[in-house]
Amino acid sequence: MTQQGIQISLAGKAALITGSARGLGAEIATALARAGAAVMISDILEDQGQRTVAAIQAAGGKAAFVRQDVTSEADWSVAVEATVNAFGGFDILVNNAGIEVCALVENTSLKDFQRILDINVTGVFLGLQAAARAMKPGGIAGRGGAVINLSSVAGLRGFSGLSAYCGSKGAVKLLTKAAAVEFGHLGYGIRVNSIHPGLIPTDMGNAVLKGFVAAGLGKDEASVQQAFERGTPLGMKGVPADIAKAALFLASDQSPWVTGAELVVDGGTTAS
Ligand SMILES: NC(=O)c1ccc[n+]([C@@H]2O[C@H](COP(=O)([O-])OP(=O)(O)OC[C@H]3O[C@@H](n4cnc5c(N)ncnc54)[C@H](O)[C@@H]3O)[C@@H](O)[C@H]2O)c1
């Protein structure tokens, strides 16, 4: 892929993208495949995951599917082995799988709070462990790599109705930095960065709009959407491709000195 004179090629690299049956994960996987990476689509949604694989293959990309629940240690072993066996390596991990629940603090059930932390935080932690073990020198892949964690603007500032989600995404931001520092000091050759998207229309993005209304934080979805847009200096909606381009940069050799960074992709919302 050529962007403003910079050649971004992921030829010869193998990527595992969690939660990539749909939404931002599918868009990121498609972009990485277009740049030449072989991509392992991982998700709990098998049919949708297979459809994403078929779409990438139809466009000439290399892709396969593995069923993986990111909260399961056993599933992580299966997913990493499947990636190495299918593609002969494991160079890029995108910890993208995530969920949100929109509710006031006083109405958020303990079960929901713990489920969000399990998927959004424990899932990322297990991914970092799997990447360190497999990508470090001597690991089953063993040639270093890049890990990209999907945090959110909700990992940078507070939002009414999203306390559990904000807590989880704030944790992802600092897990990222701690792992980046540690892997750097240990000489693993593994960079770790986080991406912080603003509101993007996906199943989750649309559910956030509905959730704000249901929690009594907005009159209707259109007014919630307008409230988000009014805080966006660039004055336009983000699309999944905006996030995929950021992931492509962080996954590639064009960012060799970038680690522990938080790449905010939100049209300037959190800057204002
Ligand atoms: N869409 C947005 O506005 C937005 C903004 C900021 C951050 N994000 C983050 O980006 C990531 C992707 O979001 P999206 O909008 O594509 O959401 P989405 O709901 O459309 O897709 C999330 C995917 O994760 C999968 N998933 C959920 N639980 C899983 C589990 N336990 N194991 C494996 N897979 C699981 C789902 O099946 C789904 O395919 C999430 O981490 C989200 O928090 C999204």
Side-chain angles (χ1 to χ4, degrees), residues 19 21-25 43-45 68-71 96-99 119 150-152 165 169 197-200 202-205:
R22 70 179 190 204
L24 300 185
D43 209 295
I44 46 177
L45 302 176
Q68 181 194 10
D69 179 336
V70 293
T71 65
N96 166 81
I99 59 165
I119 296 172
L150 268 291
S151 178
S152 168
Y165 184 74
K169 292 301 184 177
L199 187 66
I200 308 281
T202 61
D203 287 355
M204 180 187 289

Side-chain angles (χ1 to χ4, degrees), residues 60-189:
K62 206 168 177 188
F65 176 78
V66 65
R67 192 198 180 281
Q68 181 194 10
D69 179 336
V70 293
T71 65
S72 158
E73 276 189 280
D75 282 8
W76 271 104
S77 299
V78 169
V80 170
E81 271 174 38
T83 305
V84 174
N85 290 341
F87 306 134
F90 177 33
D91 308 287
I92 298 161
L93 169 63
V94 185
N95 280 314
N96 166 81
I99 59 165
E100 64 83 33
V101 170
C102 191
L104 300 181
V105 170
E106 66 209 66
N107 297 333
T108 302
S109 69
L110 180 58
K111 197 168 156 235
D112 276 349
F113 184 77
Q114 288 175 333
R115 194 165 63 93
I116 288 186
L117 291 187
D118 262 359
I119 296 172
N120 293 7
V121 184
T122 307
V124 171
F125 176 69
L126 291 177
L128 286 164
Q129 274 195 330
R133 290 170 183 164
M135 293 177 181
K136 72 180 178 183
I140 57 167
R143 49 194 191 208
V147 180
I148 297 159
N149 297 329
L150 268 291
S151 178
S152 168
V153 290
L156 300 172
R157 48 158 289 205
F159 287 85
S160 294
L162 289 178
S163 57
Y165 184 74
C166 286
S168 74
K169 292 301 184 177
V172 170
K173 165 180 144 150
L174 278 179
L175 261 178
T176 301
K177 292 188 193 302
V181 168
E182 184 176 304
F183 297 171
H185 283 151
L186 290 170
Y188 283 0

Side-chain angles (χ1 to χ4, degrees), residues 21 48 50 93 101 150 167 171 186 199 201 210 220 226 258 266:
Q48 191 142 12
Q50 294 290 5
L93 169 63
V101 170
L150 268 291
L186 290 170
L199 187 66
K210 284 191 175 60
D220 52 35
Q226 272 165 17
V258 182
D266 71 343

